[in-house]
């Protein structure tokens, strides 16, 4: 028997959370497809556009929902890029997972007061970028390049700093100016 306010035993808030996760995951896949279409000076360099929905989810969703979003982002990127069953997927998944966890950790540590967080989206983006690069360098060291990883490390770290800064600035401007984002409900369960 279906109760009023539920569908299949799910509460309205659970359905809305599921819809939000689905929408953000679709946005991750769209931005990932856009990113793969942009020419890159080096094959391993990426802008990190698909991290934007993850950053936006930090203040709107529970941590477990953001973790699910990160997992869906990783799987979606693997399918979109066609690298799902390759070592490239391992690098991408490791970097994406590390970036997501890094952003979540910095946000959780610094967002005691949601109205006045201690770190901006720029700081969160830079933390994610650094975590991504470190994870990928470690994977490169142990899977592919060995000691020669030190030669690509400076290029990867500098490009990650630049793209992380750019994405953080864009995210800050988007949050400040977007009426859509301001109207999104808060499903974190944290009091304001």
């Amino acid at each position: 028997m279906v109760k009023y306010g539920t569908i299949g035993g799910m509460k309205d808030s659970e359905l809305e959370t599921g819809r939000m996760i689905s929408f953000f995951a679709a946005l991750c896949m769209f931005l990932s497809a856009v990113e793969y279409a942009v020419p890159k000076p080096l094959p391993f360099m990426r802008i990190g556009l698909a991290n934007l929905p993850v950053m936006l989810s930090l203040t709107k969703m529970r941590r477990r929902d953001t973790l699910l979003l990160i997992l869906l982002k990783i799987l979606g990127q693997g399918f979109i890029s066609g690298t799902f069953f390759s070592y490239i997927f391992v690098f991408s998944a490791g970097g994406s997972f590390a970036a997501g966890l890094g952003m979540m950790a910095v946000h959780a540590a610094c967002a005691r007061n949601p109205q006045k967080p201690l770190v901006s989206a720029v700081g969160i983006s830079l933390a994610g970028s650094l975590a991504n690069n470190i994870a990928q360098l470690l994977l490169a060291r142990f899977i592919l390049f060995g000691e020669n990883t030190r030669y690509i490390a400076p290029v990867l770290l500098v490009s990650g700093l630049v793209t992380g800064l750019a994405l953080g600035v864009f995210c800050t401007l988007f949050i400040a100016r977007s009426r859509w984002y301001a109207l999104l409900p808060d499903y974190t369960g944290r009091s304001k």
Side-chain angles (χ1 to χ4, degrees):
M1 177 179 234
V2 177
K3 296 179 182 178
Y4 177 76
T6 65
I7 295 177
M10 294 180 73
K11 296 178 185 173
D12 288 339
S13 63
E14 291 171 339
L15 287 171
E16 288 301 316
T17 301
R19 286 183 187 124
M20 184 181 284
I21 293 169
S22 299
F23 176 77
F24 275 64
L27 189 57
C28 284
M29 287 190 274
F30 171 74
L31 292 172
S32 185
V34 168
E35 184 170 357
Y36 281 106
V38 173
K40 296 170 230 12
L42 296 171
F44 57 84
M45 291 178 73
R46 291 188 15 225
I47 303 167
L49 289 176
N51 284 326
L52 179 62
V54 175
M55 291 173 58
L56 295 174
S57 76
L58 294 173
T59 58
K60 298 294 185 178
M61 289 193 257
R62 293 175 296 204
R63 288 182 187 102
R64 70 179 184 182
D65 297 331
T66 299
L67 280 172
L68 177 58
L69 175 62
I70 293 166
L71 178 63
L72 292 172
K73 171 188 174 273
I74 290 168
L75 294 174
Q77 284 180 319
F79 284 118
I80 287 172
S81 66
T83 60
F84 196 62
F85 296 106
S86 71
Y87 74 92
I88 296 170
F89 177 75
V90 174
F91 280 78
S92 178
S96 290
F97 194 66
L101 288 179
M103 291 187 292
M104 287 176 65
V106 169
H107 180 265
C110 298
R112 302 284 183 229
N113 179 0
Q115 302 303 323
K116 288 184 141 185
L118 297 174
V119 68
S120 70
V122 173
I124 291 171
S125 179
L126 288 172
S129 178
L130 180 63
N132 179 317
N133 289 343
I134 289 172
Q136 288 189 341
L137 286 169
L138 288 172
L139 288 168
R141 165 87 167 77
F142 293 110
I143 293 176
L144 207 55
F145 297 121
E147 291 294 325
N148 292 328
T149 302
R150 68 178 177 258
Y151 298 119
I152 63 166
V155 174
L156 191 63
L157 291 169
V158 169
S159 69
L161 176 68
V162 171
T163 58
L165 182 64
L167 187 65
V169 169
F170 177 80
C171 188
T172 300
L173 294 172
F174 181 81
I175 289 170
R177 296 179 182 175
S178 172
R179 289 183 57 214
W180 169 81
Y181 184 76
L183 294 174
L184 278 178
D186 181 351
Y187 293 110
T188 61
R190 298 184 290 263
S191 60
K192 296 222 176 196

